[in-house]
Amino acid sequence: MRKGKQPPRISRHDGRPNRTRFTATQTMTSDRNDKERPPQAVFGAIGHEADAAAIERLRERAAQALDSGRFDLADELLAGVDGQEIQLAKLVENLRIYQAELEIQNEELQLSQRHAQDAFARFSAFFNNLPLAGLVIDRQGLIKETNQRARTLFGLRNRPGHQHFFARLIADTDRGEVIHAWSSLAGDQPRELAELHFQTLEGDRFIGDLHLATLPGILDDAPTYICAVLDRTESARQRRALAEATERLRRSESFLNATGEIAKVGGWEMDVPTGRVRWTDVTYRIHDLPPSEDPPLALALGFFHPDDRQLLEHRIERAIARAEAYDLQLRMTTAAGREIWVQTTCQPICEDDRVTKLQGTIQDISHLKRSEEQLEFLAHHDPLTGLANRSLFRARLELCLQRAARNGTQVALLFLDLDRFKYVNDSLGHSVGDQLLERVAAALAAQVRSSDTIARLGGDEFVVIMDDVGKPRFAARFARRLLGVLDQPFATETRELYITASIGISIYPEDGADMDTLLRHADIAMYRAKENGRNGFNFYEPAMSAGAAERLRMEHELRGALARSEMMLHYQPQVALSDCSLRGVEALCRWQHPRLGLVAPDQFIPVAEDSGLIGELTAWVLEQACRQLILWDQVGFRIPRLAVNLPMREIERTDLVNRVRRTLERTGLAPDRLELEVTESMIMRRPDVAITTLDALRALGVILALDDFGTGHSSLTYLKRLPLNRLKMDKSFVERLGEDRDDEAIARAVIALGRSVGLGVIAEGIETRTQHDFLRRELCEEGQGYLYGRPLAAGAFMESWSMIEGSARLSAARSASAPEPEPEPEPKS
């Protein structure tokens, strides 16, 4: 403070000095002044000229003045002391200087306080307006302070009592890493963790960077930490998108480079004024030439086929004259003699309305041409056999019919279907089946005239169009030749196979005037050939249509017969020949047709086999028969054994053993009460497979019987290997017993053979007392036939047998005359 200037006066609202501030600041200032100027500097003059008592009184009065704020008491001081004016003036001056210093310090303190408040306000505004989330947490991780960005980002509430732990805002996958980083903070060294996964209180997730640092605290034992979170979700997404785009670009560039190399597209350029031609390296390779001097135009054109060269020259002239581009596919012969197809393009380059250059590409497209030819072939030919397909067949047949209509000639259509080809596929696999089809197709195609057409319609169905056949007998002769061609073994990878065929023939115009009618009638005739024993041919006859329609209708109705409960079982007794006691029953399937009545198995079983329904039907028969035997047991009508006949294809099914096992488990029938009958022809089709299946069935405890023994082609070698329990003598050897010595000898041999190999023998078809007595004398154990009872439904069968003793049945058989046999023998199920 300058001399002569009055110091600013600091006072309260009542005008009194602020004693509190004065006293508070006095101590701080005294400390400073004690060092800067000791008391001797202030009161030195007085100490030399006045006595100590006077000085002490002055000090007291000065202190009172300072305490009361009345600095005008200094004048009184000066007046009351003689000879000390000068020294007291100095004292007053010093005191006033000291007061001014105190007031200045007070102003500085007030200004510092305002600066601190402004700084705090600026810091709060800065903290709350930061673009990143800021959170202050204590040692336990409890959030103490947050800025606006943090509250918005994490969904936090800015109210007392709503406190959360910071760890809850971190996803489980990254929480451990954050806790470890936080616990390892050392001093003022911050930690940064990039791209962590955070979660809001509502469970939404985002990606962010975390900065951790220790905040200095007033109390050493209560540190706090600042957590700054920068939301990086969008940048992370953009970076991933950029990385993916970069990777796609890299792959695209790699793909384009590889494609350019693989495509082998050559380039060429011709300077129009000079006629000079330049080629790229790929163009030289296409021509089978090493890169060298640029070839002349004549040499470039000389590689093309003569017919195509003229076209190319014409298009080059138009390109020069009219600036007309072209894109051509041409034939050429390379320097190495290769005949190839190329695609060449041209784009004229103009300067001053004149074509000065021709630029273009050339590419070897021979493989594309071959593919087009192959596709064209496949569009009209069967890919397996190479024969015409259905599309080409219909086109050729339409042309033949139009030509025959104009010329008044005949056309024969032969529909050929391989016999039992499904068994080859099912038993040997489709690979062997395809090989067989290839061999058969080649053999058939070799017999067809060049004017005729052979086609494969699909599966094992073939058709032959005989154009201008002349007379039907020529078609019959040709059909016999085709059947003769098939009378040979066809070699496959695994074995040689024999196959036969059935052929149906229709003649234009007698059997139809359009292709669909002719094809349908030939198909009907083919089915008639199958019904007649296969391996033959039949011409179409109008009467066949009715039978074919009825067969198709029966197949359609058979598909829903089980669901409509139209199938039923009849049971025929099997008795001991010694006393006619009931030993077992055979289950026979019947179809109670709503329109045709009771349909015998020989009418619908072949339809079921051809349509693929035989497996479902067999499973139903087996299930119902086993349940019926259990029901009879429950009412006290016990029958020792149940016989069920297996159809031809069932023995070759891989799941037969499991189906039988599951049926026995479901019904509760003991395995040794179930007898499965198989035929010789069934076994001899594939003996090894049959033996394996029968061994598995025998292991279940099931009884096995060989049905129709003596009518097939079995050998004693296989008979010895088969796990059989019984032989069933065919009815053809029984019906003439007592009349034909040869049949009697065969019957004796069958019985003796069974006994010698330890097999029981049952004879079927017994209808007379003579047959019964003969078989009994020859020690045949059991019999089955009309003499003992016709097949009956379950209720009627139990009623017929439950009250009859075996001796009574024998007595009745002795006294009864033989019943008249039915027009047709009793069919098998």
Side-chain angles (χ1 to χ4, degrees):
M1 184 177 178
R2 297 180 182 178
K3 271 189 175 182
K5 295 278 184 164
Q6 285 292 330
R9 191 174 183 86
I10 302 173
S11 63
R12 300 171 184 246
H13 295 291
D14 58 359
R16 294 175 61 85
N18 191 330
R19 177 62 176 164
T20 303
R21 292 183 182 176
F22 181 86
T23 305
T25 56
Q26 183 178 9
T27 303
M28 295 185 294
T29 308
S30 299
D31 293 339
R32 183 187 64 182
N33 292 339
D34 287 344
K35 297 178 181 179
E36 293 180 356
R37 50 178 187 173
Q40 291 82 356
V42 179
F43 301 105
I46 299 176
H48 292 287
E49 297 180 7
D51 57 4
I55 293 173
E56 184 62 26
R57 289 194 299 270
L58 181 61
R59 288 181 179 176
E60 291 176 358
R61 295 288 300 276
Q64 292 175 358
L66 288 175
D67 291 339
S68 61
R70 294 180 60 189
F71 286 89
D72 55 344
L73 295 179
D75 294 337
E76 298 179 5
L77 271 172
L78 294 174
V81 179
D82 294 334
Q84 297 183 0
E85 289 82 1
I86 296 176
Q87 290 81 359
L88 291 174
K90 289 182 179 179
L91 175 61
V92 170
E93 181 68 16
N94 288 335
L95 288 174
R96 288 179 176 176
I97 290 173
Y98 185 56
Q99 179 188 2
E101 289 178 351
L102 292 177
E103 290 178 352
I104 290 172
Q105 289 178 3
N106 193 23
E107 289 178 354
E108 290 176 351
L109 286 174
Q110 289 179 344
L111 182 61
S112 297
Q113 184 179 11
R114 287 197 299 271
H115 286 170
Q117 291 174 348
D118 292 343
F120 179 76
R122 287 195 302 273
F123 172 78
S124 297
F126 171 75
F127 182 64
N128 281 306
N129 290 284
L130 280 176
L132 50 82
L135 304 98
V136 177
I137 64 175
D138 61 12
R139 180 179 297 174
Q140 286 73 34
L142 189 66
I143 299 174
K144 309 301 292 184
E145 298 180 35
T146 58
N147 65 2
Q148 184 59 42
R149 177 59 179 163
R151 292 190 292 272
T152 302
L153 184 61
F154 289 101
L156 300 174
R157 299 177 181 178
N158 189 22
R159 294 204 306 269
H162 292 278
Q163 295 184 334
H164 306 280
F165 284 97
F166 181 62
R168 291 183 54 194
L169 305 181
I170 305 169
D172 295 341
T173 54
D174 297 335
R175 189 173 297 161
E177 181 182 0
V178 173
I179 294 175
H180 176 74
W182 175 35
S183 61
S184 61
L185 282 175
D188 59 351
Q189 295 297 320
R191 292 291 301 274
E192 296 182 3
L193 302 176
E195 295 194 2
L196 300 176
H197 292 82
F198 294 89
Q199 60 188 14
T200 68
L201 292 185
E202 288 76 16
D204 299 329
R205 294 202 171 195
F206 64 92
I207 297 175
D209 295 343
L210 175 62
H211 298 259
L212 288 169
T214 303
L215 288 177
I218 298 176
L219 299 177
D220 294 339
D221 59 344
T224 56
Y225 307 90
I226 181 70
C227 303
V229 179
L230 177 61
D231 188 355
R232 297 293 300 276
T233 303
E234 182 61 23
S235 61
R237 186 193 64 79
Q238 292 177 354
R239 186 171 64 256
R240 286 196 300 270
L242 179 61
E244 292 173 358
T246 303
E247 178 62 19
R248 287 196 299 268
L249 179 60
R250 186 193 65 78
R251 289 198 300 264
S252 297
E253 292 176 350
S254 176
F255 174 75
L256 289 175
N257 293 335
T259 301
E261 182 65 25
I262 294 172
K264 299 179 182 178
V265 178
W268 62 269
E269 181 182 81
M270 185 180 79
D271 186 68
V272 174
T274 63
R276 183 180 179 183
V277 179
R278 290 187 291 273
W279 287 352
T280 63
D281 290 346
V282 176
T283 304
Y284 279 103
R285 289 199 296 269
I286 290 175
H287 289 77
D288 288 333
L289 289 173
S292 60
E293 294 294 329
D294 295 328
L297 179 60
L299 177 62
L301 295 175
F303 288 99
F304 290 93
H305 189 278
D307 296 339
D308 295 344
R309 185 186 312 155
Q310 184 177 0
L311 171 62
L312 180 58
E313 290 173 349
H314 174 66
R315 295 303 299 271
I316 291 176
E317 292 174 359
R318 292 180 58 177
I320 296 174
R322 305 180 186 179
E324 185 177 291
Y326 65 76
D327 186 345
L328 302 173
Q329 293 183 359
L330 307 172
R331 293 165 292 175
M332 66 176 293
T333 303
T334 69
R338 293 186 304 115
E339 294 183 356
I340 63 174
W341 279 87
V342 296
Q343 182 167 6
T344 180
T345 64
C346 172
Q347 182 63 49
I349 305 299
C350 297
E351 294 181 6
D352 299 330
D353 297 331
R354 292 175 57 251
V355 176
T356 58
K357 288 184 179 180
L358 298 179
Q359 293 179 343
T361 61
I362 184 170
Q363 183 180 15
D364 186 351
I365 60 169
S366 302
H367 61 291
L368 295 178
K369 280 293 184 180
R370 288 192 296 269
S371 297
E372 290 176 359
E373 294 172 357
Q374 185 177 10
L375 289 174
E376 178 68 18
F377 179 83
L378 293 177
H380 299 94
H381 293 80
D382 174 53
L384 177 64
T385 62
L387 302 179
N389 62 9
R390 185 181 293 271
S391 174
L392 183 57
F393 158 73
R394 294 182 69 87
R396 296 247 180 110
L397 181 57
E398 183 66 28
L399 291 176
C400 288
L401 296 183
Q402 293 175 1
R403 187 165 49 248
R406 289 194 305 268
N407 301 333
T409 57
Q410 291 182 316
V411 176
L413 185 65
L414 284 71
F415 195 111
L416 184 148
D417 185 271
L418 300 182
D419 297 330
R420 303 189 185 279
F421 179 75
K422 291 181 180 179
Y423 299 149
V424 176
N425 270 343
D426 294 344
S427 58
L428 302 180
H430 289 276
S431 176
V432 174
D434 288 347
Q435 294 175 36
L436 180 60
L437 287 175
E438 290 181 277
R439 310 295 191 273
V440 169
L444 296 176
Q447 305 301 318
V448 177
R449 301 175 302 178
S450 59
S451 59
D452 298 336
T453 298
I454 179 171
R456 179 187 176 215
L457 299 186
D460 59 337
E461 295 179 343
F462 300 87
V463 288
V464 179
I465 305 171
M466 295 186 68
D467 191 19
D468 192 10
V469 73
K471 295 183 179 181
R473 70 171 182 269
F474 296 136
R477 186 183 306 164
F478 181 66
R480 292 191 187 95
R481 188 161 76 240
L482 293 181
L483 294 175
V485 168
L486 298 180
D487 190 17
Q488 59 173 321
F490 292 93
T492 64
E493 290 182 357
T494 57
R495 64 185 68 196
E496 288 187 342
L497 299 174
Y498 286 87
I499 194 75
T500 60
S502 300
I503 302 176
I505 306 173
S506 60
I507 305 294
Y508 170 86
E510 287 83 357
D511 299 330
D514 60 87
M515 67 173 69
D516 291 330
T517 303
L518 283 174
L519 187 61
R520 183 173 65 255
H521 288 169
D523 188 19
I524 292 173
M526 182 271 295
Y527 272 106
R528 178 55 58 90
K530 285 187 178 294
E531 292 173 357
N532 291 339
R534 298 181 171 86
N535 194 23
F537 68 90
N538 268 91
F539 281 92
Y540 171 75
E541 298 175 2
M544 295 179 181
S545 293
E550 179 61 27
R551 179 185 176 90
L552 184 62
R553 182 177 182 181
M554 179 175 288
E555 178 181 338
H556 175 74
E557 293 172 340
L558 184 60
R559 292 187 179 276
L562 285 176
R564 294 189 299 268
S565 300
E566 294 174 1
M567 290 297 175
M568 58 187 305
L569 293 182
H570 283 187
Y571 300 90
Q572 188 173 28
Q574 295 177 339
V575 302
L577 295 184
S578 60
D579 58 0
C580 289
S581 60
L582 187 60
R583 295 291 184 86
V585 293
E586 181 176 4
L588 303 171
C589 188
R590 299 291 186 266
W591 183 8
Q592 187 62 49
H593 197 283
R595 177 172 51 88
L596 303 176
L598 196 62
V599 181
D602 61 342
Q603 298 181 40
F604 67 84
I605 290 297
V607 178
E609 290 179 338
D610 292 339
S611 60
L613 297 173
I614 192 63
E616 180 182 0
L617 184 59
T618 302
W620 180 85
V621 170
L622 186 62
E623 181 91 12
Q624 296 303 314
C626 291
R627 291 190 182 279
Q628 184 59 60
L629 210 63
I630 296 297
L631 290 176
W632 280 333
D633 288 347
Q634 293 172 355
V635 296
F637 181 56
R638 181 174 178 81
I639 300 177
R641 185 179 62 243
L642 168 69
V644 177
N645 188 271
L646 288 180
M648 180 69 70
R649 296 177 59 187
E650 289 300 289
I651 195 68
E652 297 174 356
R653 292 187 55 152
T654 57
D655 63 339
L656 174 62
V657 178
N658 287 331
R659 287 196 293 121
V660 172
R661 179 190 294 110
R662 289 194 296 268
T663 300
L664 293 173
E665 292 173 351
R666 283 195 302 269
T667 60
L669 185 67
D672 59 359
R673 296 182 65 190
L674 175 62
E675 179 178 275
L676 297 178
E677 298 181 357
V678 295
T679 61
E680 290 182 86
S681 55
M682 183 192 307
I683 295 173
M684 294 311 298
R685 288 182 68 252
R686 296 182 64 193
D688 294 339
V689 174
I691 291 173
T692 301
T693 303
L694 294 177
D695 282 336
L697 289 172
R698 193 70 186 90
L700 289 179
V702 174
I703 300 173
L704 298 176
L706 188 61
D707 196 12
D708 300 336
F709 181 73
T711 62
H713 305 281
S714 63
S715 66
L716 293 179
T717 300
Y718 282 112
L719 183 62
K720 182 176 62 175
R721 294 174 54 191
L722 293 174
L724 299 173
N725 299 91
R726 298 205 302 168
L727 298 179
K728 198 167 188 179
M729 188 187 309
D730 187 69
K731 69 181 75 176
S732 62
F733 303 131
V734 175
E735 60 186 359
R736 295 182 60 82
L737 292 179
E739 302 176 11
D740 189 298
R741 286 175 163 267
D742 293 335
D743 286 348
E744 292 177 353
I746 292 174
R748 290 190 185 96
V750 170
I751 296 170
L753 176 62
R755 293 174 64 84
S756 65
V757 295
L759 300 179
V761 178
I762 180 174
E764 60 180 350
I766 302 175
E767 299 178 353
T768 67
R769 173 61 191 221
T770 302
Q771 297 165 353
H772 170 90
D773 292 341
F774 176 86
L775 294 169
R776 182 182 180 185
R777 285 195 304 271
E778 297 299 327
L779 302 180
C780 180
E781 297 172 344
E782 296 181 11
Q784 178 180 344
Y786 288 162
L787 180 64
Y788 316 109
R790 295 174 179 272
L792 297 173
F797 183 87
M798 185 179 71
E799 183 180 355
S800 174
W801 281 88
S802 60
M803 303 302 295
I804 300 177
E805 296 292 335
S807 59
R809 172 63 62 178
L810 177 59
S811 176
R814 289 175 176 172
S815 61
S817 60
E820 292 292 332
E822 293 184 347
E824 293 183 0
E826 177 69 19
K828 283 288 184 185
S829 61

